[in-house]
Amino acid sequence: MMTQRTHTRWTALALTGLLGVLAACGGPQDPAEQRAQRIAQSDGPILIGAAWPWEARTSGYYWEGLELAVREVNEAGGIQGRPIELVREDDRESVNEGRLVAQRLANNPDVVAVIGHLNSHVTLPAAGTYEAAGLVMLTPASTTPELTEKGYRRIFRSVNNDVMIGQQMVDYAVSKGYTNVAIAYVRNAYGLGLANAFERRAIEAGVHIVDRQAYDSAVRDTRVSFDRIIDEWKDRRFDAIFLAGMAPEAGYFVKHVRAAGIDASMFGGDALDTQSLIESAGPAAEGLVVASIFHPDNPRPEVQQFNEVFSTAYGIRPDSWAARGYEAVWLLARAMQEADSAAPDAIAEALRSAEAWNGVTGTFGFDERGEVHGKSLLTVVVRDQRFIFMQETPALLTGETDAKPLTTAALTPALP
């Protein structure tokens, strides 16, 4: 485990490297001001980092969502006449590699923002480097509440955090009449955070937690990988299992639990909303309910418009990861337009000051901490090896809001 001293040293190295690159530009030594000055003087592409475990997580259409949004922004004239480009970096789901990725992006004076990372245990230390280097970071995936509790001014999250997701899933359990629930979670920051959030809310709601067990994040598709949990649960009585994990490992768990004859209902968090879960679980995934922020069958006009554009571009329907990536790029682009600047601090202020943004995952805003608020969640269920839209939770933003649209039409209304 990295110590606080090691974390400080890594951040200092990144910051030192950035200042070395920017020193030739002259002016103040504050990283954010140096970067803003560099951006104002440049007429080249505006660079946005795309930090993700690209090789390890190939399921889903996240890259296609990012790519489509970049194409739309640039076809609409870009930002102040300048195109945006993605700088793709692979963090390999590793804290150490994530720190190196953050350092490389921080040392590039033409990068204004970073979209990423996926895993909370990677995002947390990387965020400190981005903040110190004067960069905006927007994660569409990391859900640990700790991320927005550090007083950062340039760090944002466009997905509901563990507390919000845990609350919805407890509400779902109560609506189904589950009174005795077991928890299984992956042994990392995401799994632990979501399991804790679910358990706290369940106790408040009068749902009894029969047991909770953790499994490793690199388990194989074998019965022995889950023997300990399965053996302890075979003779216990419970209505349902709450699963705080990620695919494909969570899918392996589902498959072997079912093979052991445990037939309790299963439901889980938003990280399970990927085709990789269905592929790894096979027929055992039937009936599994998960939280989501997007489904192409949602009747909202923004969703149907996105479906049409994405399907035309790639010949497939978008998934939740496509929507997250697409929306993240457009959030940054629209913030730059609102601020009339690509300087990171101007982007951050524009994101935070808007009353609400209207995107493909709903209408939502950001609070002073950079935490998303007002974002509705969906529930989806696996039927015949595909996710089926169940329902959308009531919108958390109430009353009339002056929501700013995140579409090509918002930049250039006359664009066909």
Side-chain angles (χ1 to χ4, degrees), residues 68 296 304-318:
L68 177 60
Q304 295 310 308
Q305 180 182 7
F306 176 53
N307 287 347
E308 182 177 351
V309 173
F310 190 92
S311 298
T312 299
Y314 298 105
I316 50 178
R317 297 212 307 168

Side-chain angles (χ1 to χ4, degrees), residues 90-108:
D90 195 321
D91 63 28
R92 305 185 188 280
E93 297 188 302
S94 160
V95 171
N96 287 342
E97 194 63 35
R99 291 182 189 276
L100 291 173
V101 164
Q103 181 179 333
R104 287 196 294 270
L105 291 171
N107 285 348
N108 187 334

